[in-house]
Amino acid sequence: PWVTACDVCPPHGLQAAYEWFWEQRVFRHADALIVNAPNAQSSLAAACPFIAGKLHCIPNGFDPEDFPRPQGPHRPGEVVRLLHAGQLY
């Protein structure tokens, strides 16, 4: 959703009203709505009860075989990189 449950730079004024109108229209006409997290599903269902039956959650995932297990403990001075992509809008 681009307006409902949007906590990252939500639109304001006429832009918010315009986007809310189209978002609700899309929600009403959709056969199904896919979200990627259980929290997103419950937030949308709470904000728009009329779509609760259309919501389906397909969590993000990965194939563990794509990520080999580390060979032994982390060594001092060795670089460790972590990434959190966060929300992409």
Side-chain angles (χ1 to χ4, degrees), residues 1-46:
W2 52 94
V3 180
T4 302
C6 177
D7 57 354
V8 178
C9 59
H12 300 283
L14 288 176
Q15 183 69 29
Y18 176 81
E19 291 190 23
W20 183 86
F21 169 81
W22 283 106
E23 180 184 71
Q24 296 298 304
R25 189 164 184 182
V26 167
F27 284 172
R28 290 186 192 285
H29 287 87
D31 293 325
L33 298 161
I34 308 298
V35 296
N36 67 343
N39 286 346
Q41 185 174 13
S42 60
S43 294
L44 276 175

Side-chain angles (χ1 to χ4, degrees), residues 35-60:
V35 296
N36 67 343
N39 286 346
Q41 185 174 13
S42 60
S43 294
L44 276 175
C48 303
F50 69 94
I51 63 171
K54 297 179 180 186
L55 288 169
H56 304 278
C57 183
I58 302 175
N60 293 331

